[in-house]
Structure formats: C-alpha cells, structure tokens
C-alpha cells in the first residue's frame, strides 16, 4: 500500500480507484475568517512560547530551545484548530460490482406439468445422477413428471459451481419472487441457495393467484434506488393476466431484461371465454359473445353449449357489483373442473346450468372462433351464463373448457344528472349520447340548465325546474355531472348532499371544467374535498396549444381505453387533436390518479405533469376531474364512435359502483363475488330510511339485523344464520368462512318494507392462472427487445449467465471527515505534548 492509500485508510476513507478532489472546510459557526484566525493564533502562540523558553526556561542549546518552541507551538495550534472544527471533504470515484437481480415466477401456473416434461427428467432433459453437482431428490407429481417450478430448481441445481462463483464475484446478486398482484417479494437467498432443495421449498410455493408482470416491473423500478441494476433475469412463463401491461413500464426500467421462458411454447389446449355487457335490461335483446380458442386442434370439430340461468329469487340490485368483476376487465372467472361426462352428455332443461341458448358443432378453423348469441332476459336480477366445449384427447389443461360469467338484468335505468349553466357543445353531445344509450335512455337522463327558459324547465321533462331537490329524490340518481356553472348557482345544502352522495352512498361525480368559471371556485365549498386536484381560488385558464398525453395508469381505467388494441386506442386519442386551453392546478391529491396530462407544463412541485383528466376514490364513491370541456372533439373524424365509448364507459364505471334504482336504500353486499375454498367472506348491509337517513339499532325490531346464508345444493341445501354487527349508523357487517364450491345466497330482511333483499357469490377451486397453459413466447421476446436484453429458454440459463456483460459501474462518493475528531489530531496533540515532556525531563526543566 502506498503512502497516500495508508493516509486515506488512517482517516477512515474507503479505498477508491481515483480521488477526484480534496477540499478543506471549517465547521465552526462562530468564526468568519478561519484561516486568518488560525494564522494569528499560530503567530501569537509562537511568540508566547518563544518568550517563555527564552526568558523563563534555561535551555543550554539553542537547537533544543527551538525544538521545544516548535513542539509546544504545534500542540497549541492543534488545540486552536480543534476549536475551528476542520472538515475534510473528499470526492472518490470507485468501480462497483453491478447489480444482478433474479425474479422468479412463483404463481400457480408454475405448478403445471408440461407435456414435454418426461418422467424422471430434469430441466435440461437429462436424468439426475450422482455424477453431477449433487443428487436431487425426486420431485413433481405422482407420475414423476416435474412441475415448472421444479424444472427451474433443477436448472439452477445443474449449474457449474465455478460459474456460480464467478457470477457471485462479478455481480451483487438479489433474488425476488413474483407471487402477488402488486409487486415482487425480496428473498434472503443468493444464487447458490437457489439450487438447494430445502431453500427452494421454503421460499417458493407456486401458489400466487395472478401473474402481474406490469406491477412487478413497476415495483422493481421503485426498488432500484439511485443506481439501477446491471441486469434483471426474469424466469417465468410470461402468462400475464392481471394489472397494467408490462410493455408500458418496461422502458422505465433503464435496465436490460433477460427473459428466461419456462413451459411449452406449443401446447394442445381448448378454452372458452364469454363476454357480457355490464348490465342487461329486462325484455330487451342483448348479445352474449362466446370465443373458443384452440392450439393444436385445427380442423377438428367440437360441440359448444351455452346456458343461461336466472339466480333463484334474485331481487338484489347489489349484484351490479358482480358486473364489475365479470365484465369490466374479465380478469376472474369461475371454471370448475369439467366432469368427464360433461362433454358427452347434453344437459337437460332443468339442469342447474340453466336453459340451453346455443348448442352448435363448430369447426376449429382458426386460433379463435367467435359466436354471437342473442338473448332476451325475462326476469330482473342476477343472470348466470355458462359456456362449455368438449374435452379433447391430449389437452394440456381442461379447467378452461368451461366458464361461468354473471351480469345483472335490470328493470330500471341508470339515472344521470347533468348540472350546467348554459348549453355547451359538451352538454349537447352528452345529452344525445345518453338519450340513445339503452342503459340510461330518455327516462334516466335529467339536466338542470340554469340559462334555460323557466317555461321550458317546467314543461320539458328532460329539465329540472330547480336544484332544490328533496333528499329522497336526489339520492335516486347514480351519477352527477357538474359542468361550467358558477358555485353560487348551487346551494350549500345541495353541495353537502353531493358530498354525502359520494362518500356515504358510493355515487359518482364528474367535474367537467369549462372556460367561463374557474374550478378554483370550489375551493371554499363542501365540494373541494371531492376534487382529485387542488386549484387556487383565483386561477385563470392558461392558453396554449398542445396534444394531451395519456399516462401509463390510463390503461387501468376502461373509459380511457377506446380501442381493442394499443394502435387503435392511440388513433382514437390522437383524433382529439390539439387542445388550446386548460386550468393549471397547484398539485394532484395524494390518492388521485392522473390519466391524461399536459405534455410540458408541470404542477408547483416541478415534476408532476399538469393533469387534464384525473380520478380519485372518495369515501365509497369515485370522482372524475376533466380539466377541459372539449372532449366532443373525439367526434371529429369518427362521429360518436369514440366519444360515446368514453362517456358510456365512464358512466357505467361510476354507476356499477353504486347500488342502482330505488333499492339502494337497503343494500346487501359481499366484499367479492368470487372466492376460493377456505376464504373468509365479509358481508355488509347499508340501511337507510325513506329520506336516506342511516338506520340505527333502535329503529330495527329486536335491535339487530340477521342474515341467512344458503349453502350450495351439493351440501344438502343447508342454511347458516349470520348475525350482523352495527359498525356505525346505517352500516352493518358480518363474516363467515366458506369451503364447499358452488353458489351461495345471502338473504337479509328489510325491517321497513318487509322485503327480502338478497346477494349471491360463488366459491370455486379454479384459478385464473390455469386458464392458459402455453408459455407466452411473444411477450417474452417483446419485453427483452424493449429493454435491450435477450430472450432465452430455461435450458439456456447457464449460457445466459456466461454471456452477461460484467461491466463495473462507476460510482462517485463524497466522504466528509471531521479532522478535529480523528486519531490524526489526537495523536498530533498528545504526541507533541509527550515529546515536549520527555525533552523537558531530559533537560531537568520544571
């Protein structure tokens, strides 16, 4: 080690390849000119010490006298330096090992056994033997075949120990598992541990409910800190089935993604899917779309059967929320194992699956065969649609041969109230859209137009004569749109009702901002807390020509997706053209999500783009902020196509979160519509009187609500009594655990009307992870290409590790050393004093 290195190590500074700069600062705040003070102190001390040894101490030798003067001056000057608190600031440049992150899929699809996995073979296609790295215990299913997760472990176990050591020395290895829908879990294992049976079984369970690759990449991006890793190795079957699209966030990683694919690329599989409208109307024709997907069975024929069944005595409007899980997103489904006889036996009309609305022998001429089935529901309530196809020989997965979806049939309509000052283009076109919308129609759309003639407001049923609505009338609405209207036009009591409508009853509100009245006018009103953004009271609109930009989070909101694919969706939003004005906001609320933003302007923090469309959950409801009322420009080339889709899906989204119709006064709900065996079910009941005042225990006979849970028919038709506890006025809750698969019904007695209000849910052992058996090789290659990485198959893992670029990362570090608080200063003072003491003893000085 050279002298410089020894000096830096003595000061506690880590070893570096290069020292860029060294600066000395003084930490004492009580002095303005430290160098001048130190110089004067040295002069004064030197003169004083020289006078002391020249006049009061006899030293026989002049050289010894000068030595004593220098030593004591040095000690006293060091003490003065300590008072000035000198601090050394050193800028170092080091080469660190790059990070290497392994992300291993641990979802349920990794428990599948691929047809290509032969009994007794490991991931490399070689039978385990004692001549390799280690003996591996047998794994897999009862037939000796390996699951995908076990094949991954076998591959890590087969790695050359020397290669593992090289990787560990060249990279800082971290391991994560993909197991949940909102991110990744860090594991306390290294590359060597991944090959051990005991470590693998304790860390990996292959039971994650969904493969959310987009959320995983977002979480990895958050975990990277200031320095991104050098490479990320993602081991998965890439069957993304939940959350944001991974391609959207892949470019944000700034790290090459090396994708290692697990599972067969070509499989033999037959699956069926059903698309339902979010709601149907009684005695009106709707269309049920069925898609049959196949791989490896081109040219063969199968029988497709579709059944419709009305839930027995279902009168509860709360089943509307099932539409959110079954139609909006279609992420979950109930697909019990298809019995062997199901493909050969035609169900009878009194079968539990319901009446046959389609039975057809279809030829599998392509990857997907669609059938549109018209259906006219005859009764209101929850409607269950079941579709199934025959089981064919050599199928990899049979759980997806049958699927059950549910929706809600209504006798009423969604009620929309549009509050506006005077007719605007947005008001005109929205009115036309919902007049023709079967879910709303002329009966469901009402508007308060302040500038309308008084006679028109009285005679035309479309218009409300006044906004002074009684509670029992106002709370029947499902969505309220507040347009370009002055705050003075809405009474404070009405604002309080709107806030209660959102926070307590789960209603939806849309603020459609116009150019005349600033949205800042709501700052001192009860509506301020509903806004997803914060706007200064006297804000003026800002005129600038720009093309709005969708944010990555926009894909999570159905009304922001205007096309079936990314290309058409982009074309639809490009059709909006240039926007020439908007209202700038101070900031975005912490719980709000920006969906459409300004391409250049930012909020007061200088980072967040100015929002043009933002959404926020408030209490039990949701509020949408539209920062300009010119979305009608979406009609520019395509008429109502995209405009109708935006507003239609937006109103549907807000409405299906809200109990519809007059029955919203007494609503029973379960926290989900689909459960797995062993899950806990939480029931809630919202109870209000005719004026929508919360019910309390003293208004209920017996002081307590009781619910009756009807178990599936397979359990003997038993009924379980569940007490409902009062959480707060108007809110009751109960819990139970379910085990048997099938449909459950919960009945609650309304004490005011003596009606039985009901909700239902289903329990299944089927997972969305097992809806797709084939590895998504296209997504695997696309992610690698977008990030500058490469795509590999699982047997090529060793080749991947050998080819990883081992470039060391240059890192700059700034180290501050308080010199006055180091061994250097301590040794200087004490050493000088000891040397002076020794010389004085030698000279017999006192």
């Amino acid at each position: 080690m050279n002298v410089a290195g020894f000096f830096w190590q003595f000061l506690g500074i880590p070893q570096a390849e290069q020292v860029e700069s060294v600066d000395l600062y003084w930490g004492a705040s009580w002095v303005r000119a430290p160098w001048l003070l130190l110089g004067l102190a040295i002069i004064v001390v030197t003169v004083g010490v020289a006078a002391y040894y020249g006049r009061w101490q006899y030293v026989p030798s002049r050289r010894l006298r000068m030595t004593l003067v220098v030593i004591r001056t040095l000690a006293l000057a060091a003490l003065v330096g300590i008072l000035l608190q000198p601090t050394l600031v050193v800028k170092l440049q080091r080469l660190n090992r790059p990070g290497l992150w392994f992300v291993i899929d641990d979802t349920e699809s990794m428990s599948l056994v691929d047809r290509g996995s032969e009994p007794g073979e490991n991931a490399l296609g070689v039978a385990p033997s004692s001549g390799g790295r280690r003996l591996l215990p047998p794994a897999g299913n009862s037939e000796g075949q390996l699951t995908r997760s076990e094949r991954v472990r076998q591959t890590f176990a087969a790695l050359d120990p020397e290669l593992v050591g090289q990787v560990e020395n060249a990279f800082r290895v971290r391991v994560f598992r993909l197991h949940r829908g909102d991110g990744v879990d860090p594991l306390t294992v290294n590359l060597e541990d991944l090959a051990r049976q005991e470590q693998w079984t304790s860390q990996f369970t292959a039971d994650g409910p969904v493969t959310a690759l987009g959320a995983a990449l977002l979480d990895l991006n958050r975990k990277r800190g200031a320095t991104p890793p050098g490479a990320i190795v993602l081991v998965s079957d890439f069957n993304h089935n939940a959350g944001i699209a991974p391609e959207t966030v892949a470019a944000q990683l700034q790290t090459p993604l090396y994708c290692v694919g697990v599972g067969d690329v070509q499989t033999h599989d037959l699956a069926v899917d059903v698309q339902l409208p979010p709601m149907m109307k009684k005695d009106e024709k709707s269309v049920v779309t069925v898609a049959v997907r196949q791989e490896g069975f081109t040219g063969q024929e199968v029988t497709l059967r579709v059944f419709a069944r009305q839930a027995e005595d279902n009168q509860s409007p709360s089943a509307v929320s099932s539409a959110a899980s079954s139609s909006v997103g279609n992420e979950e489904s109930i697909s019990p194992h298809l019995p062997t006889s199901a493909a050969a036996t035609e169900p009878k009309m009194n079968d539990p699956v319901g009446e046959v609305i389609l039975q057809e022998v279809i030829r599998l001429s392509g990857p997907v065969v669609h059938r549109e089935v018209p259906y006219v529901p005859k009764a209101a309530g929850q409607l269950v649609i079941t579709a199934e196809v025959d089981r064919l020989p050599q199928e990899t997965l049979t759980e997806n041969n049958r699927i059950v979806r549910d929706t809600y049939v209504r006798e009423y309509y969604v009620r929309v109230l549009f509050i506006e000052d005077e007719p605007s283009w947005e008001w005109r076109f929205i009115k036309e859209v919902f007049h023709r919308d079967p879910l709303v129609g002329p009966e469901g759309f009402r508007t308060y137009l302040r500038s309308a003639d008084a006679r028109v407001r009285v005679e035309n049923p479309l218009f409300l004569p006044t906004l002074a609505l009684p509670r029992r009338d106002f709370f029947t609405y499902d969505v309220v749109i507040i347009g370009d209207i002055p705050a003075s036009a809405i009474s404070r009591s009405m604002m309080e009702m709107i806030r209660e409508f959102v926070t307590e009853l789960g209603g939806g509100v849309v603020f459609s901002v116009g150019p005349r009245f600033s949205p800042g006018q709501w700052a001192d009103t009860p509506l301020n807390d509903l806004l997803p953004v914060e706007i200064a009271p006297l804000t003026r609109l800002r005129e600038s020509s720009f093309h709005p930009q969708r944010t990555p989070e926009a894909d999570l909101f159905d009304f922001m997706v205007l096309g079936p694919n990314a290309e058409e969706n982009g074309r639809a939003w490009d059709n909006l053209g240039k926007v020439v004005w908007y209202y700038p906001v101070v900031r975005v609320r912490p719980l709000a999500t920006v969906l459409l933003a300004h391409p250049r302007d930012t909020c007061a923090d200088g980072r967040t783009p100015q929002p043009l469309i933002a959404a926020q959950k408030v209490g039990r409801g949701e509020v949408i902020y539209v920062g300009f009322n010119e979305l009608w420009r979406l009609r520019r080339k395509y008429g109502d196509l995209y405009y109708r889709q935006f507003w239609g899906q937006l109103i549907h989204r807000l409405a299906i979160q809200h109990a519809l119709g007059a029955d919203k006064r007494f609503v029973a709900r379960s926290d989900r519509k689909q459960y797995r065996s062993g899950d806990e079910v939480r029931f809630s009941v919202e109870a209000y009187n005719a004026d929508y005042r919360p019910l309390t225990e003293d208004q209920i006979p017996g002081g307590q609500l009781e619910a009756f849970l009807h178990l599936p028919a397979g359990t003997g038709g038993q009924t379980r009594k569940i007490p409902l506890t009062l959480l707060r006025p108007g809110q009751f809750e109960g819990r139970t655990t379910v085990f048997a698969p099938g449909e459950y019904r919960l009945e609650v007695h309304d004490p005011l009307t003596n009606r039985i209000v009901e909700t239902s849910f289903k329990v299944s052992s089927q997972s969305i992870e097992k809806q797709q058996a084939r590895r998504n090789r296209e997504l695997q290659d696309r992610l690698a290409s977008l990030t500058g990485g490469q795509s590999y198959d699982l047997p090529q893992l060793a080749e991947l590790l050998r080819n990883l670029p081992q470039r060391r990362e240059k890192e700059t570090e700034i180290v501050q050393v308080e010199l006055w608080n180091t061994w250097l200063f301590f040794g200087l003072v004490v050493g000088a004093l000891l040397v002076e003491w020794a010389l004085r003893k030698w000279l017999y000085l006192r």
Side-chain angles (χ1 to χ4, degrees), residues 281-284 310 355 375-381 383 409 411:
K281 194 170 183 179
K282 179 183 174 183
D283 297 326
E284 280 190 7
Q310 199 77 25
E355 64 170 315
Y375 180 68
V376 180
K378 298 300 183 183
L383 178 68
V409 180
E411 292 183 282

Side-chain angles (χ1 to χ4, degrees), residues 589-608:
R589 306 270 189 191
L591 299 180
T593 303
V594 178
L595 310 178
L596 194 70
H598 197 286
R600 300 178 302 274
D601 295 354
T602 58
C603 299
D605 60 6
R607 300 186 306 272
T608 307

Side-chain angles (χ1 to χ4, degrees), residues 756-767:
I756 297 297
V757 176
E758 166 183 305
T759 187
S760 64
F761 60 90
K762 297 182 179 67
V763 177
S764 172
S765 59
Q766 169 63 25
S767 167

